Amino acid sequence: MATWAITAFIELEIPARAEFVGLVRLVVSSLASARRSLADDRIDDLKLAVSEACTNAIEAHAEVDVDERVLVRCREDEDRLEVSVEDRGPGFDPHELPEHPPVTDPDRLKFERGLGIPLIRSLVDEVEIKSSSDGTAVRMIMRLEAAEA
């Protein structure tokens, strides 16, 4: 008997405006829950990570006043859900992000910005960031367990 791999691919181009982040969250969470037994808290983690990546992309577009859309790609395979968010902002060096104190350290309260990437890294299983002067792509991977038939 042949086995079929489940693969779904969705691509969204959203205007670089905050009101479209909710749409991306809805699409990602629907895909994550459609054919998988993924705990609700893991879906919430993924939605939050995607929201952070989209918000960063929107802010990057605003920084250089570009009218291009933010590109969001979702790919579901048998064992993982991959979401990438791409912008056309000025880029940054992901290796030069400041170290943040642990959340229990009172000095953590001095950091008002720059928490998005560390938060994304803590919420998903893998993160890859590619950035240049032409923009940034944040690829997030969430490992999935197959749903029981």
Side-chain angles (χ1 to χ4, degrees):
M1 182 167 141
T3 58
W4 296 93
I6 298 171
T7 301
F9 184 81
I10 297 171
E11 186 172 280
L12 301 170
E13 289 186 21
I14 63 165
R17 296 197 321 255
E19 58 263 35
F20 289 93
V21 175
L23 172 66
V24 175
R25 275 196 316 261
L26 180 63
V27 169
V28 169
S29 65
S30 295
L31 183 60
S33 62
R35 293 185 297 245
R36 303 289 173 187
S37 60
L38 191 61
D40 288 344
D41 61 337
R42 291 289 283 161
I43 293 172
D44 290 342
D45 288 349
L46 181 60
K47 290 187 325 189
L48 182 54
V50 168
S51 296
E52 285 293 325
C54 286
T55 300
N56 287 348
I58 290 165
E59 289 178 358
H61 278 220
E63 189 175 325
V64 293
D65 195 27
V66 66
D67 279 338
E68 290 189 54
R69 294 173 181 261
V70 172
L71 178 61
V72 180
R73 291 186 174 114
C74 306
R75 179 187 166 123
E76 177 194 30
D77 287 320
E78 283 292 323
D79 64 342
R80 68 188 194 166
L81 180 61
E82 180 179 314
V83 181
S84 68
V85 178
E86 299 176 22
D87 67 56
R88 296 291 167 249
F92 69 99
D93 186 346
H95 302 292
E96 291 188 12
L97 293 174
E99 285 293 321
H100 294 90
V103 293
T104 55
D105 187 331
D107 283 339
R108 178 73 170 232
L109 297 175
K110 296 177 185 174
F111 287 86
E112 293 181 19
R113 303 219 11 105
L115 298 173
I117 297 296
L119 180 62
I120 291 169
R121 287 182 172 141
S122 72
L123 293 170
V124 298
D125 298 318
E126 291 179 44
V127 179
E128 178 182 311
I129 301 169
K130 292 184 180 178
S131 191
S132 72
S133 60
D134 294 327
T136 300
V138 177
R139 189 173 128 231
M140 299 160 281
I141 296 173
M142 180 76 73
R143 301 269 178 236
L144 303 172
E145 296 178 15
E148 294 183 20

